[in-house]
Structure formats: structure tokens, C-alpha cells
Amino acid sequence: MTGTELQLLGCAKTFGGKTKALLPTDLVVKPGEILGLLGPSGCGKTTMLRIMAGLETPDAGGKVLFDDEDVTKVPIEHRSIGMVFQSYALFPNMSVRQNVGYGLKVRGIDGPERDGRVDEVMAFCRLEGLADRAIDQLSGGQRQRVALARAVAPRPRVLLLDEPLSALDAALRDTLRDELAMILRGLSMTAVFVTHDQSEAMAIADSIAVMKAGRIEQRAAPEVLYRDPQTDFVASFVGGANRLAGRFEDGELHLDGGTLKTGIEGNQPDHIFIRQEDIQISSPDVSALRGTVIGRVYLGTHTKLTIAGVSETPLVVSLQGATAPQIGEIVGLDIPATSLIHF
Amino acid sequence: MSRRSAFVIQFSVTLLACAFLLVPAILSILAGVTVNYFQGIVASGVTLKWVGQVWELYSDTIWRSMGIAFGCLIITAIIGIPAAYGLNRFPGRISRIVEEFVSLPLSIPGLALALALLQLYGTIKGFRLSSWFILVGHVLYTMPFMIRSVLAVFSTIDLQSLEEGAASLGASSWQRFKDIALPNAWPGILAGALTVVTLSIGEFNLTWMLHTPLTKTLPVGLADSYASMRLEIASAYTLVFFVMIVPLLAAMLWASNKAQSIGKPS
Ligand SMILES: Nc1ncnc2c1ncn2[C@@H]1O[C@H](COP(=O)(O)OP(=O)(O)O)[C@@H](O)[C@H]1O
Ligand SMILES: [Mg+2]
């Protein structure tokens, strides 16, 4: 893989002497890797991205490395990064072409060379025919692609994206997410991508760092995070897994809706997780665990059921194929012991 | 009351108000082109003689006013635009204090400001007797208008994000100022510039205190002509003043509308 290796060593950020936006963090992004920074709002994702960019300096002791070069004290304009801002920050006084070419212009590249590279990048980001448009004549999706084209045109060492899809309509977001994933892959550039949406992170990133309250909880490939979460937070935030809390006795978990055989021996946790698609619906007469359907959303490929009375919080079940029960029905739940997630 | 009669009443009131404002101005301007005001325009006829005499007697005041307004514009722009940029860039207590301090001349009567200037610089003869002295007064008086007008535009655009965007693309702070801040603040600069020029050309209180017989500006000359010239000449002078100031006022209105529409969807 080509590209620059990006490293954070012991980077923390404290605002105004008390807000600990980021706790001391180590992180390596391999050359050409697309890393997703995933976490709820306020967990420090933007702060970490801005430290990588050079828009914030880490607290004393923290270091940012591009390959082996220490860039901690290098200001953003000399770091050779590309950045896509949450608001896009497109220049309203310039046309699309001028926006995309600005990074080349300030580097003193002009004439046919600049035009050629701008055309190339615009074609790559599917912006043909928009070159002379003003920014306020663009749709949301087009703006996002202009922001991306502008960031990559000077061939930065590292590309940083802060929630590039959050400003778009929900209807557009899925299509543009896949498109962005394809463009980023085609660039084969080291990239860090911030999002609060786990499906976005899954679709775009090679590797995801899940963040909570200024810390990285787990860093792994998307499949690994989903199949093998290491903390409660990752299990529920990334996998959307259900939390079952009750009283453990002899390998059985006693819940409001009945008992669940867990096969867990020795150290018995007071709660476990189960993924939505690992629960099967059965007859209430034969099942040891029962609940009442209180929500039912048909989504074509599957049906999402919300079931109350099993544990403290309602259970979400994603049911494929089989005809789903109706609201108000009492159902039995089959939960295979092998699918349980516990720590 | 029917809607129709309500409309008629509103319309008449508006008309009356306009007449109240415009009739004296029109009469005064007409007097400037009347051969003999006491015989009336119909009996004595129309002439440009008085305008010609105004030009002979007072053209220096007109040139001086234009020169001072232009100088004032240059200085307020050179100092005011970077000042507004700095105030916007580093918001906080100190910036607020500076902003208030700069706006102080707005709330001080022109006479007091003039007195202060006289006390401070009155003894430097060369300076005191030149038009530069009046220029300094005008700069102090108009500076807050330039700064506030530019600041107002800066606060409607998210300049910080735009500049961070430019910096991420490799732009130095000078390039950011020149390529991003200035062009996007342009409508505000224009509105501020027109305000400065209009205020400087029309300023009387302060200028009256600061002027010498050899450094009269247009409004000071006007007052002088009202006091000592025949009515037709004073009126013709008023006419000249109107011709200069009305296009400026119109342009100012247009520019400030444009400045206000920034940031709103088109
Ligand atoms: N410039 C700042 N000054 C003070 N606090 C800040 C600043 N930027 C971010 N914070 C705080 O740091 C925390 C993390 O913010 P941020 O990195 O923007 O989170 P995220 O991008 O994950 O939503 C938040 O509590 C936020 O209020
Ligand atoms: Mg953020």
C-alpha cells in the first residue's frame, strides 16, 4: 500500500483546564488504511481529528507522527493534509473549479497543470459539468463531493473527514455513503473518517476505533467488532445488541420473562448481550422465555419486533423470512446459548 | 371601517409626510435656479447663473470635501478592515472593550470631540491650519461605522471554518485574509465605505469647530453662504450639495441591503 502512516502517541486534549475532550490516546493508522472513528456525539471524535490535522495542539507530552516525522508543532498549512469539514466550508466567493483548484493555487501550481489536475479530480468525484457553478447552486450531495475533491486535489499525505454525510438528507445518505466508500477506496490514501453512525463506519472503514467519553474502547475490523465486541458499549453501540439483566444461578439467567440457559460456568456476569438477529420466535407454550410484542416494523428483507416483559428494557428482534407475529401477541423466545455475548 | 377607506387614509398620510419632507427641499432647489426669488420663478425665469457663481466662490470647498472624504475612506479602510478582522478572529472581553472604545466617538458630541482635538493638537500650527486636521477628526468620527459594518458581515459568515478550510489546503494567514476574508466581507466593506464617504461629506458640527477660513468644507461653506450671500446663491449651493450626496445615499442603501442579504438563501 502507498501512503503515509499516521500515529498518535499519548495525545490528550483538555479544554479550558477542565473539559477532558480526549484522554491520552495511542493510535496507528497504516499507510492507505481507512480508519473510522465511531462514537456518540461529544465523545471527542472531532477533537482527535483536529489534533491530527493540526487545528488543535495535544496537551503536553502528546505527539503526532506522519511516517517518522514529528509534526506535532507543524501548523496545519504545512502538514499537507486534506480535510472535509462537517459543514464542508466551501468558499462562497469561488466557483466549483476555483474551490477544487485552491489547494493547487496556493502551492503556486497554475496554468494547464492546475486545470488538468482539477479536471481529473472532478471527474473522479463525478463533478463533470459543474465546474463553473456557484456553490449556492449545488445540491447537498454535490457540495459534499466538491469538498472531497477540493481536499484530495493537492494529493495530501492524509485525508481527514468529519462526519461528511451528516449534513445530507436521510434519503440521500445511503446512496452517497456507498459512493463515498468507493471513491475513498479508489484513492488508496491514508484516511480517517469520523461518524456517529455505525452503519456508515461499517460501510466505509477498513478498521474502526469505537470511542466513548474521550477514550478508544476497541479498535478492530468491522466484522471483528460486530462478532467479538470487547465491552458492553461496543456490543450495544456497534452491534445494536440487546442487554439482558437478571439474576444468575447455576448457569441460568433468571429474567422477568422466564429463564435462559446460558451454559456459562464459573465467573457469572449479571448481564449478557444477544444480537437482534440471533433470537428466534417460537410458541409461548414450549419456550422457557416469554414476552409481548409491542412494536412491529416491516422492512422488506426483515421485520423488526419490539418485545416487552422479557428484561428491564424492551428487546429488539430482527426476524428474517418467517411470518412475524402481530402487536399484542404473546410469543416465546429461543435464544441459543452459543450466540450469547458476555465479558 | 372598510379596507378601502383604510387604504385611502394610509395613502394620504404617507403622501402628506412625503410632501412635508420634500416640499422645502424642492422649493430651496428651485430657488437656486430662479433669476429673482422675490419675483418668483414664473415671472423672472430660470437661470444657471447662481450655480456658476457658487462654483466660482466655493469650488475649493467642494474639492476639499471630496478630498477629505476620499482620504477618510482610504484611512478607515486600511485601519478598519484589519481591525474588524482581528476583532472577529479573537472574540472575547478585550475585543469587546476595544470595540466599545472605537465606538466612543459615536456617543460623544462632535463639538466635544473637536474641542479635544484642538486642545491636543491646536498648538502644532502647520497641522492645525491644514485640511489634515479636519481629516483626522473625520477619521475618528467615521471609523466605527467602517468597523461595525465589516464586523456585521463577518458575523453572518462562518469565517473560522472557511479559514480552517483554506489553511488545510495550505494557505498562509495572508492568503487566507486576501482570498477568503476580504472577498466574503466585500458587501460589508462597500456598505461601510459608502457610509464613511456620505458622513464625511455631510459632517458639520465637528468640521465647523476645526476649520479655518482657508479650510472650509462644503457644509461649512453652506452655512457661510446662508449667513452672508443672497438667497439664490445659498440655494444653488444647496442644489450642488444635493447632486453630490443623493447618489451616494442611494448607493449606500443598495449596498447595505446587499450586505444584509448575505448568508440568507438566495
Ligand atoms: N473548543 C472547545 N472548547 C471547549 N470545549 C470543547 C471544544 N471543542 C470541543 N469541546 C468539548 O469536548 C468534547 C468533545 O467534543 P468533540 O470532539 O467535538 O466531540 P464529537 O466530535 O465526538 O461530537 C465535548 O464535550 C465538547 O463540548
Ligand atoms: Mg464532531
Side-chain angles (χ1 to χ4, degrees):
Chain A
M1 262 297 183
T2 54
T4 301
E5 183 182 69
L6 167 66
Q7 269 192 81
L8 299 186
L9 295 176
C11 281
K13 184 70 192 178
T14 313
F15 286 110
K18 47 180 190 295
T19 313
K20 293 208 184 304
L22 190 66
L23 299 168
T25 301
D26 295 318
L27 182 71
V28 181
V29 191
K30 294 199 292 287
E33 185 179 30
I34 303 175
L35 173 75
L37 286 181
L38 173 65
S41 173
C43 71
K45 308 181 294 292
T46 297
T47 304
M48 193 192 285
L49 201 73
R50 288 173 67 88
I51 289 176
M52 294 169 175
L55 287 168
E56 307 282 1
T57 35
D59 293 349
K63 267 193 185 155
V64 184
L65 304 183
F66 283 8
D67 287 333
D68 291 326
E69 184 194 345
D70 184 345
V71 295
T72 316
K73 297 210 160 58
V74 177
I76 179 168
E77 61 263 34
H78 296 133
R79 277 198 194 185
S80 185
I81 54 121
M83 191 152 181
V84 175
F85 293 80
Q86 196 164 2
S87 62
Y88 303 146
L90 297 175
F91 309 134
N93 57 313
M94 298 183 194
S95 68
V96 168
R97 165 175 290 281
Q98 288 169 325
N99 264 278
V100 175
Y102 188 71
L104 300 170
K105 183 182 160 204
V106 297
R107 283 168 174 76
I109 298 169
D110 39 34
E113 191 188 348
R114 179 159 92 215
D115 288 345
R117 269 172 72 179
V118 169
D119 286 337
E120 191 186 318
V121 174
M122 295 221 309
F124 192 74
C125 295
R126 304 209 304 102
L127 288 166
E128 299 101 328
L130 298 176
D132 298 316
R133 288 271 185 93
I135 297 306
D136 60 8
Q137 294 171 332
L138 299 178
S139 71
Q142 290 167 339
R143 278 174 210 222
Q144 187 244 330
R145 292 202 300 274
V146 173
L148 182 64
R150 185 180 74 172
V152 300
R155 299 189 188 141
R157 303 172 77 180
V158 174
L159 181 62
L160 306 168
L161 306 98
D162 194 356
E163 312 226 9
L165 298 163
S166 68
L168 302 170
D169 296 343
L172 271 175
R173 218 174 290 154
D174 283 2
T175 341
L176 290 177
R177 179 190 70 199
D178 299 346
E179 192 179 275
L180 181 65
M182 242 149 66
I183 294 178
L184 286 183
R185 236 153 261 297
L187 286 168
S188 60
M189 210 178 252
T190 309
V192 180
F193 165 85
V194 163
T195 180
H196 63 264
D197 180 319
Q198 55 93 15
S199 62
E200 231 170 82
M202 297 261 178
I204 296 175
D206 296 321
S207 168
I208 298 176
V210 182
M211 291 186 65
K212 183 193 173 191
R215 265 172 26 85
I216 295 179
E217 289 255 317
Q218 189 178 353
R219 156 85 189 274
E223 313 84 72
V224 177
L225 279 185
Y226 193 77
R227 279 289 132 208
D228 188 19
Q230 297 296 314
T231 69
D232 285 6
F233 179 73
V234 176
S236 55
F237 190 75
V238 178
N242 293 293
R243 185 176 190 271
L244 296 177
R247 183 172 49 82
F248 248 104
E249 220 175 272
D250 304 329
E252 285 190 334
L253 184 59
H254 295 265
L255 299 162
D256 299 346
T259 55
L260 177 65
K261 285 201 172 54
T262 65
I264 300 171
E265 286 159 18
N267 187 20
Q268 300 189 329
D270 67 349
H271 65 274
I272 53 172
F273 286 91
I274 179 73
R275 269 182 290 270
Q276 301 175 8
E277 69 274 20
D278 289 342
I279 304 174
Q280 294 301 322
I281 299 296
S282 63
S283 154
D285 311 327
V286 296
S287 182
L289 203 55
R290 274 182 295 277
T292 312
V293 179
I294 58 166
R296 182 184 194 274
V297 182
Y298 178 68
L299 291 165
T301 55
H302 62 282
T303 307
K304 242 187 167 77
L305 296 177
T306 312
I307 298 174
V310 184
S311 184
E312 299 161 347
T313 47
L315 218 63
V316 180
V317 177
S318 171
L319 201 61
Q320 221 126 22
T323 45
Q326 298 298 326
I327 290 180
E329 263 183 62
I330 294 176
V331 293
L333 301 160
D334 281 352
I335 299 179
T338 50
S339 306
L340 296 176
I341 304 166
H342 58 92
F343 308 107
Chain B
M1 190 159 51
S2 77
R3 272 169 69 177
R4 199 183 150 75
S5 59
F7 172 77
V8 169
I9 289 173
Q10 278 178 8
F11 188 72
S12 327
V13 168
T14 310
L15 217 62
L16 223 80
C18 286
F20 185 72
L21 291 169
L22 285 178
V23 166
I26 291 170
L27 280 182
S28 173
I29 287 166
L30 280 181
V33 291
T34 305
V35 174
N36 186 323
Y37 181 73
F38 296 100
Q39 288 170 8
I41 194 162
V42 183
S44 64
V46 174
T47 178
L48 282 177
K49 183 174 79 179
W50 307 124
V51 175
Q53 285 203 13
V54 164
W55 192 253
E56 263 169 44
L57 288 167
Y58 292 108
S59 66
D60 67 312
T61 68
I62 295 168
W63 292 120
R64 186 170 297 108
S65 269
M66 281 166 48
I68 288 174
F70 184 70
C72 201
L73 169 61
I74 301 286
I75 297 173
T76 50
I78 289 176
I79 299 175
I81 297 169
Y85 181 70
L87 289 172
N88 176 70
R89 181 143 178 201
F90 304 105
R93 269 258 290 290
I94 295 176
S95 290
R96 295 276 295 282
I97 292 170
V98 170
E99 203 186 326
E100 287 307 314
F101 197 72
V102 170
S103 305
L104 219 55
L106 286 182
S107 47
I108 298 178
L111 294 176
L113 189 61
L115 210 62
L117 282 173
L118 283 168
Q119 282 172 344
L120 202 58
Y121 301 117
T123 50
I124 311 173
K125 276 287 172 282
F127 180 50
R128 164 75 186 91
L129 297 177
S130 71
S131 299
W132 294 103
F133 193 48
I134 295 174
L135 178 59
V136 168
H138 281 205
V139 166
L140 282 178
Y141 170 59
T142 54
M143 186 65 82
F145 294 94
M146 177 61 94
I147 292 182
R148 298 216 146 180
S149 171
V150 178
L151 258 183
V153 177
F154 279 150
S155 67
T156 59
I157 50 180
D158 184 3
L159 194 62
Q160 194 197 334
S161 294
L162 294 182
E163 285 209 37
E164 286 181 352
S168 75
L169 294 164
S172 64
S173 37
W174 166 245
Q175 285 169 323
R176 260 129 61 189
F177 177 71
K178 170 175 73 78
D179 296 339
I180 310 300
L182 266 192
N184 286 300
W186 184 240
I189 295 173
L190 198 65
L194 286 159
T195 312
V196 165
V197 169
T198 310
L199 285 175
S200 171
I201 286 191
E203 209 297 319
F204 178 75
N205 287 351
L206 181 84
T207 320
W208 185 73
M209 288 283 283
L210 298 181
H211 88 279
T212 69
L214 293 176
T215 57
K216 278 189 201 135
T217 64
L218 204 162
V220 173
L222 262 184
D224 185 81
S225 75
Y226 292 155
S228 58
M229 293 289 150
R230 58 183 294 170
L231 188 63
E232 289 86 345
I233 290 186
S235 298
Y237 203 0
T238 313
L239 176 63
V240 171
F241 182 65
F242 264 14
V243 167
M244 286 178 64
I245 205 105
V246 167
L248 276 173
L249 285 172
M252 195 168 96
L253 206 68
W254 170 81
S256 64
N257 277 342
K258 210 170 139 83
Q260 272 164 22
S261 68
I262 291 185
K264 291 176 192 154
S266 48

